[in-house]
Amino acid sequence: MAELLSQPFSWLNLIIMVSAGVVVLGVVLVFVMYAIYFERKVIGWMQLRNGPNRVGPWGLFQTVADVLKLMIKEDIVPAKADRFLFLIAPIIAYTPAFAIIAVIPFSENVFFADVNVGILYYGALSSISITGILLGGWASNNKYAIMGGMRSVAQMVSYEVPLIMSFLGVVLLTGSLNMKDIVAAQQDGMWFIIPQFLGFVIFLIAGNAELNRTPFDLPEAENELVAGYFVEYSGFRFAFFMLSEYVYIFALSSVMTVMFLGGWDAPFGLTFIPGGVWFALKFLLLVFYLFWARATFPRVKTQQLMGFAWKVLIPLALFNVMITALFKTISQAG
Amino acid sequence: MDQIYNNSYLFMAIFLLLGIFLPFATIWVIGPFLRPHNPTKEKISTYESGVEPTGDAMVQFNVRYYLFALLFVIFDVETVFLYPWAVAYDNLSSFALIEMVIFVFMLAVGLAYAWKKKVLTWD
């Protein structure tokens, strides 16, 4: 990709770029399908069940069948809904989730946009999905949906702040917002999970809350709100809400791998294994963590949830930034 | 170097457009051929656990949510100010740290005030 980026514009290059984007789209969609399968299997095993095992060998085609089923389901728009907003809300939720992936480097050769505002772009775009969720909840004109949407927004904006702040320690250590530079800095020194362990833990918790996943899945608490903000959605519009959640898992785990686990950097000098494989292993470990957390923790209460973000995570994140800056100043002076 | 920048932003635009294209293609172009379209009165009524829906859901909502939104704006703007400081930290004098401590302290006072006023607790 490096040579493609440095070439002047030509139509052939544009076609190559678009096909690269289409390939990524395909990879992400396959990831989403098998992440859902993997999640159901893992949770099944943790609860001493089998998980999906009927469609295809070991149930491997279960999600494919689900997607096909969703495609041929009727797309119902409630009569009392705000029609236009109802129709575009899933797209507003999904589009930024996919657009983020452009700035994430996957190995020394596989990266797309090499910009010096990578992390800022991630933070800015990931906030837009919240709008889609709020619009979906409000436009449905359904009591469950608006409560789910409101809870979701309150939760996501609260955890957005510590999430974005937890990057700052890494930014201080590298002096760059470019994700490739961040990986390069970790290849020279150590992975940022060690000097930025507090930041990593904050990111892990806030990221889980940002994804609206158990134990922070109050917005879609099924036993009180039925399904939260997408109660009224059916068919493929519902699928796009689900898709955006899993594309976010992809994006968030990738960013976490890049920021704290050294990206494609090989540990213990095992460089004969290609960087892409290392990236995939670290990435899958984080994805597994999300599913593991879902199978393990009970759902928290609303008052615990919001209090935790503002009273614990944000002060801790600010403390982490200031301590990192202080250490940096001391080490430069000494 | 400029070329890398232009191509990078082109890539970001392509990803954004692909992100818009997929839902449009599947929902509006391919979808109508695959799915039935047969809305009945019951089907398009609002779902309320099988009971006749009463009233409207677009009502004035609990003000607590807006307080969190306001707090979010303050702290998000703070984070936006912290970012350039963190990027340029190597080139700044050590006084930059003291300045930022003062800035963060003032916001921390605001957070403590909100905490004291019980904005952060949800009863």
Side-chain angles (χ1 to χ4, degrees):
Chain A
M1 285 296 155
E3 61 274 22
L4 180 69
L5 281 179
S6 50
Q7 278 164 12
F9 177 80
S10 72
W11 291 105
L12 179 68
N13 278 355
L14 185 70
I15 291 168
I16 295 172
M17 283 174 165
V18 172
S19 25
V22 172
V23 169
V24 173
L25 183 64
V27 169
V28 169
L29 291 180
V30 170
F31 164 80
V32 169
M33 277 192 203
Y34 283 94
I36 294 173
Y37 170 76
F38 181 56
E39 173 171 22
R40 293 179 62 184
K41 270 289 189 200
V42 165
I43 293 176
W45 287 328
M46 285 183 180
Q47 296 169 346
L48 303 179
R49 296 183 284 114
N50 275 328
N53 64 352
R54 291 301 159 114
V55 188
W58 307 288
L60 273 171
F61 300 134
Q62 179 64 52
T63 338
V64 182
D66 288 343
V67 171
L68 286 177
K69 186 195 75 179
L70 283 170
M71 277 217 86
I72 56 172
K73 285 285 176 193
E74 186 173 354
D75 184 25
I76 299 164
V77 184
K80 288 172 82 181
D82 185 324
R83 194 178 166 85
F84 177 69
L85 292 180
F86 186 85
L87 295 185
I88 62 163
I91 299 163
I92 297 178
Y94 164 75
T95 302
F98 181 71
I100 286 169
I101 295 170
V103 293
I104 301 169
F106 295 99
S107 81
E108 53 275 72
N109 299 318
V110 183
F111 58 89
F112 304 101
D114 182 14
V115 284
N116 57 357
V117 287
I119 295 167
L120 205 62
Y121 185 74
Y122 172 82
L125 252 73
S126 67
S127 315
I128 297 176
S129 281
I130 303 175
T131 320
I133 287 170
L134 179 62
L135 282 180
W138 187 81
S140 299
N141 202 350
N142 177 310
K143 283 156 199 127
Y144 300 120
I146 192 160
M147 282 166 80
M150 281 292 190
R151 275 191 192 182
S152 183
V153 172
Q155 170 181 340
M156 285 168 95
V157 297
S158 298
Y159 281 88
E160 180 94 8
V161 179
L163 185 81
I164 304 289
M165 277 182 186
S166 66
F167 294 157
L168 277 165
V170 174
V171 175
L172 267 169
L173 290 178
T174 47
S176 170
L177 293 171
N178 186 329
M179 296 209 189
K180 278 183 75 195
D181 291 353
I182 288 169
V183 175
Q186 292 177 85
Q187 281 173 321
D188 296 340
M190 54 183 155
W191 294 0
F192 287 143
I193 186 172
I194 300 163
Q196 282 296 315
F197 188 70
L198 191 58
F200 177 73
V201 172
I202 292 167
F203 194 129
L204 215 53
I205 298 169
N208 205 336
E210 190 73 3
L211 289 166
N212 286 335
R213 293 180 63 84
T214 324
F216 304 104
D217 67 338
L218 290 147
E220 42 197 270
E222 57 269 28
N223 35 22
E224 43 186 297
L225 289 183
V226 191
Y229 53 88
F230 50 58
V231 179
E232 291 288 359
Y233 282 88
S234 64
F236 230 61
R237 274 178 228 284
F238 165 77
F240 270 100
F241 272 125
M242 289 306 280
L243 187 62
S244 63
E245 181 179 330
Y246 282 87
V247 175
Y248 259 114
I249 290 180
F250 183 90
L252 200 97
S253 303
S254 305
V255 169
M256 206 159 9
T257 309
V258 168
M259 304 273 285
F260 294 102
L261 298 180
W264 58 86
D265 185 31
F268 315 119
L270 295 170
T271 42
F272 64 91
I273 300 171
V277 176
W278 281 116
F279 188 95
L281 282 176
K282 296 169 191 173
F283 166 80
L284 288 175
L285 187 73
L286 291 169
V287 172
F288 175 73
Y289 150 76
L290 286 170
F291 299 160
W292 188 15
R294 176 169 169 187
T296 309
F297 293 118
R299 183 180 298 137
V300 298
K301 294 186 209 162
T302 313
Q303 64 265 43
Q304 295 167 333
L305 176 87
M306 305 303 280
F308 186 66
W310 291 99
K311 293 176 186 170
V312 181
L313 285 184
I314 289 178
L316 266 183
L318 279 173
F319 174 75
N320 180 41
V321 173
M322 290 302 142
I323 285 292
T324 311
L326 192 65
F327 266 101
K328 225 183 148 184
T329 310
I330 291 169
S331 65
Q332 273 166 355
Chain B
M1 202 61 196
D2 279 351
Q3 203 53 55
I4 292 179
Y5 267 68
N6 293 342
N7 281 330
S8 291
Y9 283 105
L10 190 61
F11 247 131
M12 281 149 83
I14 288 169
F15 271 70
L16 192 63
L17 290 176
L18 273 175
I20 298 170
F21 168 78
L22 179 75
F24 269 94
T26 47
I27 295 177
W28 273 284
V29 181
I30 307 170
F33 295 107
L34 296 173
R35 60 182 181 230
H37 180 70
N38 179 27
T40 59
K41 191 170 161 292
E42 284 75 28
K43 214 184 271 174
I44 59 169
S45 70
T46 304
Y47 172 74
E48 241 177 81
S49 301
V51 190
E52 282 290 313
T54 49
D56 205 69
M58 294 172 181
V59 290
Q60 289 188 329
F61 219 73
N62 193 341
V63 73
R64 266 175 213 288
Y65 291 96
Y66 301 98
L67 291 176
F68 278 110
L70 279 176
L71 272 176
F72 164 72
V73 171
I74 296 164
F75 278 87
D76 220 33
V77 170
E78 176 192 4
T79 319
V80 168
F81 281 127
L82 280 169
Y83 262 89
W85 170 79
V87 172
Y89 192 74
D90 285 333
N91 310 321
L92 300 173
S93 64
S94 57
F95 190 63
L97 176 63
I98 298 162
E99 280 181 315
M100 198 41 88
V101 167
I102 295 167
F103 176 65
V104 169
F105 175 74
M106 287 195 291
L107 281 156
V109 170
L111 184 65
Y113 179 73
W115 194 331
K116 189 94 200 333
K117 282 280 177 189
K118 300 201 167 54
V119 174
L120 306 179
T121 44
W122 201 292
D123 41 27

